[in-house]
Amino acid sequence: MPDDDSRRLSPEEIEQLLAEADRLCELGLYDAAFALDLRAAEGGDARARTHLGWYYENGLGTTRDTDKAFYWYSLAAGQDYAEAQYILTQFYDHDSDEYRRLLRAAAINGSPAAMTDYGLGLSGSNPSEAFVWFLRAADHEYAQADFCLALAFDKGSGTPKDPKAAFIHFKKAYDNGYAPAAVDLALHYERGAGTSADEAEAVRIMSLAAEKGDSTAQFHLGRMIENGIGGLDADLPEALAWYRRSADNGNSTAMTALASKLIDGIDIEANIPAGIALLEEAVEAGGTDAMIKLGECFENGTGVNINPKKALTLYGMAAEKGNPAAFAYVGACFEYGIAVSKDLRRAAAMYRRGAELNDPSALYRLALLYERGAGMRDDEKEAFRLMSRAAELGNEEAIFSLAGYYEDGVGTRIDSRKAFALYEQAVDLGKPEAYAYLGYYYENGIVAPKDLNMAIELYRAGLENEDPYAARRLGDMLLHGRGIEQDTDEGLHLLHIAADDGDDVAMLILGDIYYRGRHLPADRTEAKKWYRLAADAGNEDAEERLEELY
């Protein structure tokens, strides 16, 4: 307990005691330091009382005694000393009122660590207030606060999105020694987000973090090595080694990446059982991407028995944990009746939740529901808006569909130039159906100069991807020798391929060929068969042909 003599120490004497105690601590002379801090603490100094708590808590300069540590910390905290208040929070359950009271008091009294933790506690319920606390803590040059600010700017949490501000704070946190900022800083350099792209610098920072054992950095370094980013030589075995190091350190993303390669046989020899086991481990570790991938395996029977209910459960688990993509999977289950009764309204609700999180697949699927008026009112303008967002996020299906919207004026005015540009983009992404649509533009000189050779090349590319529209377009050109040497047999063969794959226009053309006896002997029975098939597929011209003939 403090005594009356020590209370009469002057402020100057207390400062001298504290300074000498600090010097002795640096030399490891804790017994002597303890004695000096005890004198200052008994004199009522909050800093010294906090030091005494530290001595007792760690058993330095005195016998370890948690109760005495708590006593001295409490005395200092009662003097509104922020550091003691923050330290004292460790003695309470984080869900307790006393923990919250002490943390808030420490934050108000100027502890940057408390400000940051208090902000983190508010980030879910009140991101705007959390952002203010991060700002206050960052003003104290507290590196973790800069990291939290960077994340807020990056995600638009409590403040508008600002990639440049995010980069500045990631870099400040990293430069001030906050290791977790390394991965985000490297990714900003790699992507040129908020700064000029610098892949070499991204690799340098990621490599340092990976070597220090950061499992997320190890995963990204593997990805960089696999893809030859930043001047690295693409080296799959080395990349896989980093993926394995990351997975061994418990990184569920790396586990999922490795599992996907093993299951799909991508770049390495397929080993589906090993991949399934790795996915299960990643699910246990809380990996939401692993939940989705394992759900796909159960839905499709890949390495496991088909189990739609198990698939839906896994998709639901990922959605509950906030994985944006998971909502599209759950929505698809309701849309198509997978493991549940078909329910388009619930499907739309799931897609909306994913769309709110900017998941491109959810945006795309929701756009299609609005386009068709499935489970809701049809609204082409809303379909166009959603499809545009999905396309901006790089969704291949959305890019292709948006081209069709511009081509046909769905929810927007007809714009062949934009349609052409989107078809080009879809071709660059390898969308099978896009080749033939782009070929049609070249074949007919729409937007681009007429180029039959380019059209034929694109049709052949689509044909390699088993696209029936490409087969029909190329078949028609071969049949008439348009831009290519006429080959009736091959042309008819391709038309039959297209028709057998459900292309109603190819069915109509075959009906006309058999009816008119062009390229083949006339055969009304065969003509009627193809007209009927085309009409059943929704071709109105085929319906008219049938009415005229019969």
Side-chain angles (χ1 to χ4, degrees), residues 26-27 143 147 186 198 259 270 275 286 319 327 387 428 471 494 508 523:
E26 290 177 3
L27 296 173
F147 178 69
D198 189 339
F327 292 102
M387 197 68 77
D428 290 340
L494 290 176
L508 177 68
D523 187 331

Side-chain angles (χ1 to χ4, degrees), residues 69 73 107 146 172 192 258 309 324 459 474 476 486 499 522 530 548:
Y73 285 143
D146 276 302
K172 187 176 177 183
L258 269 177
K309 288 186 177 180
Y459 291 149
L474 185 57
D476 191 60
Q486 186 175 25
W530 286 111
E548 291 172 4

Side-chain angles (χ1 to χ4, degrees), residues 143-147 168-179 181:
Q144 187 185 358
D146 276 302
F147 178 69
I168 289 170
H169 286 284
F170 278 134
K171 190 171 188 310
K172 187 176 177 183
Y174 180 74
D175 290 343
N176 286 331
Y178 193 69

Side-chain angles (χ1 to χ4, degrees), residues 173-235:
Y174 180 74
D175 290 343
N176 286 331
Y178 193 69
V183 170
D184 290 287
L185 180 61
L187 291 175
H188 273 249
Y189 273 120
E190 180 185 353
R191 299 164 183 166
T195 186
S196 299
D198 189 339
E199 290 187 348
E201 181 66 1
V203 169
R204 185 188 72 81
I205 294 171
M206 201 73 79
S207 298
L208 289 172
E211 292 290 355
K212 291 178 181 178
D214 186 306
S215 66
T216 304
Q218 290 169 342
F219 164 73
H220 282 292
L221 182 59
R223 175 183 59 79
M224 289 171 161
I225 293 171
E226 180 179 1
N227 295 286
I229 291 172
L232 293 171
D233 292 329
D235 187 336

